Amino acid sequence: MKISAIETTGSDKLPVIIYTEEAFKKMQLFMKTKHSTDKEFMFVGTVRTKDNYYIIEDFYLPPNKDCSGAYCESGDNYDKWFFETFKTLEEKKSLRCHVHSHVNMKAFPSGTDSKQIMDLYKNVSNFYIQIIINKKFENYVAIYKDGIKYEEVPQMVQIRDMVFEFISGEKAVPYCELSDGDYTIKDGMITIDEYTSFNVYTGDWEVHSGELTYKNGTISYIPRSDVLGEC
């Protein structure tokens, strides 16, 4: 018997989730509303794929019904909302992410959550992403694809041209490096451009955009109003 390693190709790599700025901002907004502090709710996301990357482009808040401290479902108005919001076939097919809040409970699927995601997955031909999140911004992510369930999937957030690995609500790790060039250095801060700087004392980056801010290891967006509305 002879055993040899097979070279890994792009399609063989394990899945990675990437949130766009818009998607990650909305997820933070939804979880900072007054509603999210004591009631569960659900929202959905559009996804596109590139090799092993699952890029969550945006989140949408459909009509919610029967919201309580224990469970929340979409209700009878979901179908009407779905066809009004996603008009083309491609838009409808891109809806491949289901998010469910757990308020104070652990970010882990219950039996009801597991059944719900399986019902969704069985009705599509490719994949479905499940996200469970609580008000501490702890989350659980799973990808269901080709009869395989991937858990603890790495999560990345794109801010401008940089990518950060999201670990928790209070910790994110930048994947970036300095290249040769002329930079302004003042008080230990290297200014890359008007949006990006690097602290030579702490070795940390600061990145700002119109949607998100990365500073001191945290990705944040401060909402100005309660955008969730009534469930």
Side-chain angles (χ1 to χ4, degrees):
M1 179 183 293
K2 185 177 180 180
I3 300 174
S4 59
I6 300 175
E7 183 179 355
T8 300
T9 63
S11 59
D12 295 326
K13 294 179 181 177
L14 293 174
V16 175
I17 282 179
I18 298 178
Y19 299 95
T20 65
E21 290 188 28
E22 181 68 18
F24 200 78
K25 178 195 73 173
K26 282 190 178 178
M27 186 162 66
Q28 287 193 323
L29 280 168
F30 291 161
M31 298 309 298
K32 287 182 179 179
T33 57
K34 294 178 181 178
H35 182 96
S36 68
T37 61
D38 58 9
K39 291 185 179 180
E40 297 186 5
F41 65 100
M42 59 86 73
F43 52 103
V44 295
T46 51
V47 184
R48 65 180 174 89
T49 59
K50 183 178 180 181
D51 298 325
N52 60 312
Y53 297 108
Y54 292 74
I55 303 164
I56 301 180
E57 296 192 306
D58 206 350
F59 284 120
Y60 299 82
L61 185 68
N64 276 236
K65 180 185 177 183
D66 298 334
C67 293
S68 68
Y71 185 62
C72 187
E73 60 185 19
S74 58
D76 299 333
N77 293 325
Y78 181 85
D79 289 345
K80 180 175 183 294
W81 170 86
F82 175 80
F83 286 103
E84 288 178 349
T85 305
F86 306 99
K87 301 186 183 301
T88 69
L89 179 60
E90 288 303 312
E91 288 175 341
K92 293 178 175 67
K93 289 170 63 176
S94 71
L95 198 69
R96 288 292 184 268
C97 180
H98 182 278
V99 191
H100 182 66
S101 72
H102 265 190
V103 192
N104 292 309
M105 294 191 297
K106 290 183 178 180
F108 195 79
S110 65
T112 301
D113 298 333
S114 297
K115 180 181 182 304
Q116 185 179 44
I117 192 63
M118 284 304 299
D119 290 340
L120 292 168
Y121 171 61
K122 289 177 181 177
N123 283 292
V124 299
S125 59
N126 44 16
F127 69 91
Y128 226 100
I129 297 174
Q130 179 187 40
I131 299 178
I132 308 293
I133 189 168
N134 61 25
K135 70 177 187 179
K136 293 181 180 179
F137 217 65
E138 300 166 337
N139 72 353
Y140 162 92
V141 176
I143 298 177
Y144 291 71
K145 183 180 185 296
D146 298 332
I148 299 175
K149 178 181 178 181
Y150 298 92
E151 297 181 277
E152 299 181 2
V153 180
Q155 302 174 74
M156 305 292 177
V157 182
Q158 184 168 1
I159 305 178
R160 301 195 66 81
D161 296 329
M162 299 174 67
V163 176
F164 302 81
E165 183 175 6
F166 174 72
I167 308 298
S168 69
E170 298 180 348
K171 184 178 181 182
V173 179
Y175 282 81
C176 46
E177 59 183 22
L178 286 171
S179 57
D180 291 342
D182 296 325
Y183 304 113
T184 300
I185 303 177
K186 184 178 180 180
D187 297 329
M189 297 296 292
I190 301 177
T191 301
I192 311 302
D193 54 38
E194 59 181 312
Y195 309 103
T196 312
S197 59
F198 180 78
N199 191 319
V200 297
Y201 298 124
T202 64
D204 204 6
W205 292 83
E206 290 187 16
V207 183
H208 306 272
S209 76
E211 310 291 349
L212 300 173
T213 295
Y214 173 83
K215 186 176 182 180
N216 299 325
T218 300
I219 301 172
S220 61
Y221 176 86
I222 301 175
R224 293 182 174 85
S225 61
D226 186 326
V227 298
L228 184 57
E230 293 298 325
C231 218

